[in-house]
Amino acid sequence: MMKTVGILLAGGLSRRFGSPKAFAELAGSTFYERVYEALDAACDQVVIVSRKELLERFSQHLDVIVDLPEVRGQGPLAGIYSAMMLRPAERYIVLPCDMPFIGVDETLALIKLAGEAKGIAAVMTPNEKIPLFSIWNGDYSAELKDAIDAGSLGVFGFLDNIQMEWIDAHSINKELEVFRNVNSRID
């Protein structure tokens, strides 16, 4: 059976949001708790990738890491790379903390729809591609490190150069609002 590690990205600077998004609350839970739950139901292990100054704020029983020193502060690709290097697996499910409406059902549906894809499978709506709600089969750590070393830190730029499959969000959930990235406070 294929080992699956969930990568919860929770290290962004949250400039537009005004405070770390991981700890914002929605319906009595923090964003990171909601995303963790969505990943935990589908993965053998979940690792949270964050920043050193936020480590104490996460529950102590969780597996929380920071980017490796050679890629620290280089964005989501660095977080994915660090998780791959520190938590080896055959498959990774990536989900950022600022997508708290994605739940267990959506994560399990993505796994089913991605099947045995050889590259990376991510979600797209009619209006946008959502590269960080994705499944990464295999180890792309060498390619990620090369991109980071070259200063190519954009997720889309990276995905343009590898085997990629886009999955229609409607096949996961007809309510496309669940796929939104939260960049401002929710009242």
Side-chain angles (χ1 to χ4, degrees), residues 3-20:
K3 180 178 179 184
T4 303
V5 170
I7 301 174
L8 194 168
L9 298 173
L13 296 176
S14 305
R15 287 182 188 106
R16 289 177 285 181
F17 197 75
S19 63

Side-chain angles (χ1 to χ4, degrees), residues 130-178:
I130 307 167
L132 292 179
F133 180 35
S134 52
I135 295 181
W136 299 55
N137 286 325
D139 183 357
Y140 279 94
S141 60
E143 292 89 340
L144 282 165
K145 183 70 164 70
D146 288 345
I148 294 165
D149 287 348
S152 179
L153 305 179
V155 177
F156 284 111
F158 180 78
L159 296 178
D160 285 344
N161 294 306
I162 58 162
Q163 186 176 352
M164 183 73 212
E165 175 185 348
W166 291 100
I167 296 174
D168 181 2
H170 285 107
S171 61
I172 294 173
N173 189 322
K174 301 286 184 216
E175 297 296 324
L176 298 182
E177 187 66 17
V178 303

Side-chain angles (χ1 to χ4, degrees), residues 100-120:
F101 298 104
I102 292 176
V104 173
D105 291 343
E106 290 79 22
T107 305
L108 293 173
L110 176 60
I111 291 170
K112 183 177 179 183
L113 291 166
E116 297 297 320
K118 300 290 185 221
I120 298 172

Side-chain angles (χ1 to χ4, degrees), residues 1 7 11 13 18-20 23 29 56 62 71 73 77 81 84 86 92 95 101 111 137 139 145 158-159 176:
M1 183 146 168
I7 301 174
L13 296 176
S19 63
F23 307 103
S29 298
E56 292 178 3
L62 299 175
V71 297
L77 292 182
Y81 170 78
M84 286 181 170
L86 296 170
Y92 299 89
L95 188 57
F101 298 104
I111 291 170
N137 286 325
D139 183 357
K145 183 70 164 70
F158 180 78
L159 296 178
L176 298 182

Side-chain angles (χ1 to χ4, degrees), residues 55-76:
L55 292 179
E56 292 178 3
R57 296 185 65 184
F58 291 96
S59 177
Q60 296 303 307
H61 75 278
L62 299 175
D63 183 10
V64 186
I65 64 171
V66 296
D67 288 343
L68 293 168
E70 65 268 22
V71 297
R72 190 159 293 141
Q74 300 299 308

